[in-house]
Amino acid sequence: MQSSSAAASRFNISRWALEHRPLTRYLMIVLLALGAAAYFQLGQDEDPPFTFRAMVVRAFWPGASAQQVAEQVTDKIERTLQEVPYADIIRSYTKPGESLTILQLHDSSPPKDVPGVWYQVRKKVGDMRGTLPTGVVGPYFNDEFGDVYGSIYALASDGFSAEELRRHAERVRQSLLRVPDVAKVELFGVQDEKLFVEISHRRLAQLGVDLNQVVAQLHAQNAVEGAGVLGADTDNVQVRVGGQFSTVDELRRFPIRAVNPSTGVASSLRLGDIADIRRDYVDPPQTKVRHQGHEVIALGIAMVKGGDIVRLGDALRAAVAQIRAALPVGIELSQSPDQPQAVTSSVDDFVKVLIEAVVVVLGVSFVSLGLHLRPLRIDMRPGLVVAITIPLVLAITFVVMYYWGVGLHKISLGSLIVALGLLVDDAIIAVEMMVRKLEEGYDKLRAASFAYEITAMPMLTGTLITAVGFLPIGLARSAVGEYTFAIFAVTAAALLISWLVSVYFVPYLGAALLRVPSRTQGGEAHELFDT
C-alpha cells in the first residue's frame, strides 16, 4: 500500500496529459503546424556552412629575382604571420617578382574568432609594410577564396569584342547582386585591356635616343597632378593640368625630345616613329573560361551564409529571364552547374527515403503490435498510434532545427534518416505496455499511468545513452567537428523529442484510438475486478 500511494503521489506526465486532454490536443495540433511551417523556412544547401581557416597574402616586386623576393619580402611576411593568434601552418611560394604565402589556422580555433584573426593579419602586415623594399606592390590579402559559387552563368557573344562582352557582363552582375540571398557575384574569364608601346632598341640606337628619356617623358605627360585652387568671392575652382592621353592616336603623335649623348644634338620626333603602339589584351591571359567550346565570361554567384539555395535558385531563374530579354541579339546567357537543382533532388530523395522508411516501420508496427493468435487477427489501432507519432516527432524536430539555425543539407538529412529508425522505439514500448494492461483489465487512464511509471525512466536512460554516443561529434574542436555537428544536434534532438512524445502524446493517442478488450464469459478475472 505504501508503494502504491508513493507511486500515485509522484508526478505522472501521462496521467496529466489525459487529465488535460483539450490542452494536449491543442499542443499536438499547434506543434504539427509549427513543424510544417519550420520545414519550409529551413535553409537548404548541399553542404553545411563551415569556417574556412586559410588566408592568402600576396606581394609583387617587379624586376626582382626569386632569391631577392624570398629574402626581402617573403621572409618578413612569414615572421610577421608567426605572431598571429591560432597560426598553425605557413606555406610560402616565391618566384621572380612575386611572393605568395598561405596562412592556415588551427582546426581548434573558434569560428567566431576567425574574422578577428584576419583583421590582425591585415594590421600586423600593414604595420611592417614600411620595411619592405621600394617598388613592392602590396601585400594583398584574400580570405574569401573558400567561397562556393553554387550557380555559374556563362555569357557568350557572337560578333562582339571581349571588351564589349565585359561591359554587358558588368551590367548583368549589377542585376544579379539585387537578387535576395546573393552575397557576391564574381566575374571569371575577363580579359584586361592594355596599351602596348613596343620600342625597338635598334631604332633607338640609330637615333641616339635613351629609353629612360622616353619613359620619363611619357610619365610626365600622362601624370595627374594638382595645380592648385583658384579662389573667387563665392566659389573655389580646381585648376588641373591637361594633356593626358585619351586615344591611341594621341599617344602616337606625342612628341619625344631626344638628346644624342654623343653629339649633344637635340631632336624632336613622334612616339609613333620609334614605337609600335596598339591596344590589345593581356598576353598570356590570366584566366580563360570555355563553355560549349566557346570562350565566355563566367559569373559565379555565392549565397549569403545560412541562405536557402532552393529559394535562391527560383529567384535567379526569374531574374535571369528578365536579363535575357534585355540582352542584345548575339549575346546569350546560359547556366552551367545548377546547385539549386542538385539540392532539390537531394531533398526529394530524402522525402522518398523517409516515406519508404515510414512505410516499413508502420508495416512492422501494424503486424507486430496488432497481431493476435487466438483468434488470428490484426488490430490496426496500436500501429496507427505509432504512425501518428512519426510526423509529430519530425515536426517538433524541425522546429528545434529552425531555432538552432540548422538547415537542410547532406549532414542533417542523413541524421534524420538515421534517427528515424530509433525514434519509434519509445512509442512502440509505450503503446505495447498500454495494450498489455488494457488486456489485463486496466482502464485507459490507469494503463497509461502504469506505462509511464514502469517504462519512462528506462526509456529515458536508453535514449540518453544513444544520444551520448554521438556526443564526441558535438564536442570535436575541429573543422570536421564543425562540418558534422548536425549529426549530434539533429539525432540527439530527435531522440529526446521522441521520448517526450512517447510519455505525453502517445497516452492521449492511445486513449483515443486503442480499444478496451471485452471480458469474455468464463474467462480469467481481470486484475481490476479481483476481490
Side-chain angles (χ1 to χ4, degrees):
M1 293 294 294
Q2 292 179 354
S3 61
S4 300
S5 61
S9 63
R10 290 196 299 265
F11 179 72
N12 190 308
I13 298 178
S14 300
R15 184 190 303 113
W16 193 91
L18 292 178
E19 291 174 349
H20 302 81
R21 298 192 184 194
L23 178 60
T24 303
R25 181 169 55 251
Y26 171 78
L27 289 176
M28 185 170 62
I29 295 174
V30 169
L31 289 174
L32 284 171
L34 289 177
Y39 174 79
F40 292 104
Q41 293 297 321
L42 291 175
Q44 302 183 42
D45 205 347
E46 189 170 1
D47 296 293
F50 63 96
T51 304
F52 208 78
R53 296 173 171 84
M55 176 187 245
V56 172
V57 182
R58 200 172 186 182
F60 301 92
W61 191 8
S65 64
Q67 183 175 358
Q68 289 175 323
V69 175
E71 294 176 351
Q72 302 185 49
V73 178
T74 304
D75 288 350
K76 294 181 179 180
I77 293 177
E78 284 184 346
R79 286 196 296 269
T80 303
L81 294 180
Q82 290 172 358
E83 304 172 359
V84 174
Y86 305 110
D88 184 21
I89 300 174
I90 300 176
R91 296 188 181 94
S92 298
Y93 305 90
T94 304
K95 62 182 181 180
E98 182 178 349
S99 168
L100 187 144
T101 305
I102 301 176
L103 170 64
Q104 186 172 339
L105 304 182
H106 281 287
D107 276 354
S108 59
S109 57
K112 61 182 178 60
D113 293 345
V114 172
V117 174
W118 298 150
Y119 169 75
Q120 291 293 328
V121 171
R122 288 178 168 87
K123 185 173 69 67
K124 289 180 178 294
V125 175
D127 292 342
M128 57 79 63
R129 173 68 180 82
T131 64
L132 298 179
T134 303
V136 173
V137 182
Y140 301 105
F141 307 92
N142 183 5
D143 59 344
E144 296 182 349
F145 63 95
D147 290 345
V148 177
Y149 299 98
S151 299
I152 298 180
Y153 290 87
L155 195 65
S157 67
D158 184 11
F160 291 83
S161 66
E163 177 61 20
E164 291 173 332
L165 184 62
R166 183 196 66 80
R167 294 174 183 174
H168 286 288
E170 289 289 351
R171 298 189 186 97
V172 174
R173 176 180 178 273
Q174 294 298 325
S175 299
L176 293 177
L177 282 173
R178 292 192 288 268
V179 177
D181 285 345
V182 172
K184 70 176 184 178
V185 180
E186 191 75 17
L187 298 181
F188 302 97
V190 175
Q191 306 304 321
D192 295 329
E193 273 193 318
K194 284 191 175 181
L195 285 174
F196 291 86
V197 180
E198 299 174 348
I199 303 177
S200 171
H201 289 276
R202 179 180 298 179
R203 179 63 173 161
L204 291 177
Q206 292 174 351
L207 298 175
V209 179
D210 185 5
L211 178 61
N212 292 329
Q213 296 179 5
V214 178
V215 174
Q217 293 180 54
L218 283 174
H219 287 168
Q221 179 67 23
N222 207 41
V224 178
E225 298 288 346
V229 178
L230 178 61
D233 293 336
T234 57
D235 298 318
N236 291 330
V237 180
Q238 292 284 340
V239 179
R240 297 183 178 88
V241 178
Q244 289 86 8
F245 302 117
S246 58
T247 64
V248 177
D249 291 334
E250 290 181 3
L251 188 58
R252 290 194 182 101
R253 293 194 299 267
F254 176 64
I256 298 294
R257 185 177 183 275
V259 179
N260 194 318
S262 58
T263 61
V265 178
S267 60
S268 179
L269 61 157
R270 295 183 305 175
L271 182 60
D273 296 335
I274 61 173
D276 180 17
I277 303 171
R278 57 187 173 87
R279 182 195 297 269
D280 208 342
Y281 301 100
V282 175
D283 189 24
Q286 293 183 347
T287 305
K288 274 197 173 184
V289 181
R290 288 183 173 271
H291 178 67
Q292 302 294 337
H294 302 284
E295 288 189 13
V296 299
I297 293 180
L299 297 96
I301 301 173
M303 185 179 63
V304 297
K305 187 175 181 179
D308 188 336
I309 191 68
V310 176
R311 184 169 61 245
L312 175 61
D314 296 337
L316 285 175
R317 279 188 284 271
V320 168
Q322 297 179 356
I323 293 172
R324 286 196 180 110
L327 288 175
V329 177
I331 295 183
E332 297 182 357
L333 182 63
S334 57
Q335 188 170 12
S336 181
D338 191 358
Q339 190 184 29
Q341 183 61 39
V343 174
T344 301
S345 300
S346 178
V347 175
D348 291 343
D349 290 341
F350 159 72
V351 175
K352 179 181 177 182
V353 172
L354 179 62
I355 293 175
E356 294 174 352
V358 170
V359 170
V360 172
V361 170
L362 293 184
V364 175
S365 301
F366 284 141
V367 174
S368 60
L369 294 177
L371 181 62
H372 297 271
L373 297 178
R374 297 179 183 178
L376 183 61
R377 62 184 178 85
I378 295 179
D379 186 3
M380 306 294 286
R381 292 181 178 86
L384 184 60
V385 174
V386 177
I388 297 175
T389 62
I390 293 177
L392 182 58
V393 173
L394 290 177
I396 303 175
T397 304
F398 290 144
V399 174
V400 174
M401 289 173 60
Y402 178 79
Y403 178 76
W404 284 350
V406 178
L408 296 176
H409 43 70
K410 290 179 179 178
I411 304 300
S412 62
L413 293 177
S415 303
L416 286 172
I417 295 175
V418 171
L420 184 63
L422 303 173
L423 58 85
V424 296
D425 292 347
D426 293 343
I428 291 176
I429 293 173
V431 171
E432 178 64 23
M433 181 60 69
M434 287 188 65
V435 171
R436 175 67 177 171
K437 291 304 171 183
L438 289 175
E439 291 176 348
E440 292 179 359
Y442 283 43
D443 61 20
K444 292 182 178 181
L445 178 61
R446 181 71 186 103
S449 302
F450 184 85
Y452 174 82
E453 295 169 359
I454 300 301
T455 64
M457 289 302 104
M459 287 193 305
L460 180 60
T461 303
T463 299
L464 291 176
I465 291 175
T466 306
V468 169
F470 297 92
L471 186 60
I473 298 176
L475 297 180
R477 301 280 185 178
S478 64
V480 176
E482 182 184 359
Y483 183 84
T484 59
F485 176 77
I487 295 178
F488 165 72
V490 174
T491 305
L495 293 177
L496 292 175
I497 292 169
S498 69
W499 177 85
L500 181 62
V501 169
S502 298
V503 299
Y504 186 79
F505 291 105
V506 166
Y508 169 78
L509 294 172
L513 298 177
L514 295 180
R515 183 178 59 184
V516 178
S518 59
R519 187 178 180 184
T520 58
Q521 190 73 18
E524 294 183 0
H526 287 245
E527 184 176 341
L528 289 180
F529 301 120
D530 286 345
T531 58

